[in-house]
Amino acid sequence: MLRAEELLDSYLQIAEAVLKSTRRPMSARAILDMAYQAGVVPSHLHGRTQQKTLQARLSEDILHHRETSSFYRTEPGQFALVEFLNDPKIPEEWKTRFPARRRTRDLKRGDALAVRRSFVDRFKNYVEEFDDFFKSADAEGALAYMHPDEMAKRGYCSAWTFSIAVRHESFLAYRVGRYRDDRDAFANKRSIGFPGALASEDASLFSDDPLGVKDCAVSVLVQDLDLSFATFDNDGAVRPTIDCVVAVETDSDDLDVIIVVTWQCPDWFEPTTRRLSINEPHWLIAAEQYNNIDDFEPWSRRILSRFADLKKRGSVGDADTYRTTGGISSV
């Protein structure tokens, strides 16, 4: 039971106290409403959008602390206490964790792959073969693993995988939420791929994929599309394939190295909004030319524009041709 004489001094303390009292999942607004009714909110916590602040605090805590966080989501915008998971009095339908949204800026933790910008500048107007690009970069000493905060200071660009899910003649597209990526060039834009950060632990000296690109792509697809690793490891399963490398400039003068990876979805796969941490998932017909290309974020815009150029020249006709010829990089 909440008591007015026990003023709580942070948003997370308030959320924990209210959830302990109600023993059920609640939205940030409902948590604050109950806290104010109980008189446990101190006067220095004020503002017109406190529910948004509370939701952001809860989301950040779940994202950064993951298994050690005291909170989890039962569905979008509904929060519960981890202690509920082991409580037999809590209904089972409240014990399923909803996958946390992945902020693009938070994907890189620890040392990540970077490419010297002076090297990337030479290739930013071209589509490159993966092996050729990274072998040349390695030969020139232009590759390094470093903390993301150090890259721009030291003259390096981030390297990303960008996994595209392909089904028959379509790409899976979605709209990028502002929580997922709040940069102006990305927020609320459509995208055809799922970004992944190449970390130092992905690299392997004993693999035909020494940078760990395919393993990184699988991990991204498993998390973002709510799949299991068995989807890619079973007999006959199709693993992602590396298509090409493009360098993409954004409005903020960032230059990113994008490794385009495609995955041929099995026939049973169909995205659902309930389990995906993405907005408005939909299938995009690959053979169409889009007049609203500016509705896409920069990485997708670059790839779709390249695909449209190839189609105009008669090099690519549809997604089946795209698959059988090896993707964008094959022509």
Side-chain angles (χ1 to χ4, degrees):
M1 179 68 69
L2 295 172
R3 293 180 300 192
E5 61 268 20
E6 296 178 356
L7 292 179
L8 301 171
D9 200 36
S10 80
Y11 284 104
L12 293 183
Q13 281 185 316
I14 290 169
E16 185 169 6
V18 170
L19 291 171
K20 279 180 181 290
S21 176
T22 62
R23 309 298 295 167
R24 60 182 175 85
M26 299 180 71
S27 67
R29 184 183 296 276
I31 289 171
L32 275 174
D33 286 347
M34 178 162 285
Y36 273 107
Q37 290 172 20
V40 298
V41 182
S43 58
H44 67 269
L45 291 182
H46 57 82
R48 290 188 298 176
T49 58
Q50 281 188 296
Q51 74 278 3
K52 292 184 179 179
T53 302
L54 174 57
Q55 179 152 337
R57 296 285 188 276
L58 288 166
S59 298
E60 289 168 1
D61 191 79
I62 293 169
L63 177 68
H64 292 302
H65 295 101
R66 297 186 181 274
E67 289 79 9
T68 60
S69 173
S70 297
F71 307 93
Y72 69 97
R73 291 184 186 85
T74 58
E75 58 183 292
Q78 295 290 311
F79 299 93
L81 289 175
V82 169
E83 66 183 55
F84 292 178
L85 297 173
N86 296 318
D87 189 334
K89 296 181 180 179
I90 299 295
E92 289 300 317
E93 62 265 29
W94 293 346
K95 294 183 179 181
T96 300
R97 293 176 185 257
F98 185 84
R101 297 178 186 270
R102 305 162 71 244
R103 284 179 67 99
T104 301
R105 288 184 175 183
D106 292 332
L107 292 179
K108 287 179 177 283
R109 290 191 175 87
D111 289 340
L113 182 65
V115 188
R116 188 180 299 132
R117 174 147 189 164
S118 59
F119 177 86
V120 179
D121 277 332
R122 308 204 310 258
F123 298 94
K124 63 185 179 183
N125 296 320
Y126 305 97
V127 175
E128 295 297 316
E129 292 283 352
F130 171 79
D131 286 340
D132 293 346
F133 180 88
F134 280 98
K135 284 178 180 176
S136 297
D138 189 38
E140 294 188 25
L143 297 181
Y145 286 97
M146 63 184 67
H147 193 279
D149 293 343
E150 296 296 316
M151 291 181 186
K153 301 175 190 174
R154 296 171 59 179
Y156 280 78
C157 302
S158 301
W160 299 86
T161 61
F162 195 58
S163 301
I164 301 174
V166 181
R167 189 184 70 175
H168 303 303
E169 297 182 1
S170 302
F171 299 141
L172 177 60
Y174 65 98
R175 195 165 292 280
V176 180
R178 186 162 287 276
Y179 179 80
R180 186 181 177 94
D181 197 322
D182 60 2
R183 291 174 292 178
D184 289 340
F186 289 79
N188 300 319
K189 298 289 187 177
R190 294 163 77 191
S191 179
I192 63 168
F194 300 90
L198 278 169
S200 55
E201 56 263 29
D202 293 324
S204 172
L205 297 175
F206 309 102
S207 170
D208 60 353
D209 179 22
L211 295 177
V213 172
K214 295 177 185 176
D215 286 342
C216 177
V218 166
S219 295
V220 167
L221 291 169
V222 164
Q223 183 167 355
D224 278 7
L225 299 182
D226 193 35
L227 299 168
S228 72
F229 283 100
T231 304
F232 303 94
D233 295 334
N234 285 339
D235 291 340
V238 177
R239 288 179 63 82
T241 59
I242 302 171
D243 284 329
C244 64
V245 178
V246 294
V248 183
E249 289 183 293
T250 65
D251 295 341
S252 58
D253 199 34
D254 288 335
L255 185 60
D256 296 319
V257 175
I258 310 302
I259 305 168
V260 181
V261 181
T262 56
W263 174 57
Q264 312 303 323
C265 303
D267 290 338
W268 54 260
F269 173 75
E270 185 63 44
T272 60
T273 55
R274 169 63 184 87
R275 295 299 298 165
L276 289 183
S277 294
I278 59 176
N279 298 325
E280 303 174 23
H282 57 282
W283 293 101
L284 196 70
I285 299 175
E288 290 187 359
Q289 186 156 356
Y290 293 92
N291 296 324
N292 58 340
I293 193 69
D294 289 337
D295 192 33
F296 292 88
E297 44 79 14
W299 298 358
S300 295
R301 196 159 62 235
R302 175 78 166 88
I303 295 166
L304 286 171
S305 295
R306 172 66 175 172
F307 189 79
D309 289 343
L310 295 175
K311 177 176 175 289
K312 190 182 299 182
R313 297 203 305 265
S315 301
V316 175
D318 54 29
D320 288 328
T321 305
Y322 178 93
R323 292 198 298 272
T324 56
T325 57
I328 295 173
S329 64
S330 64
V331 283

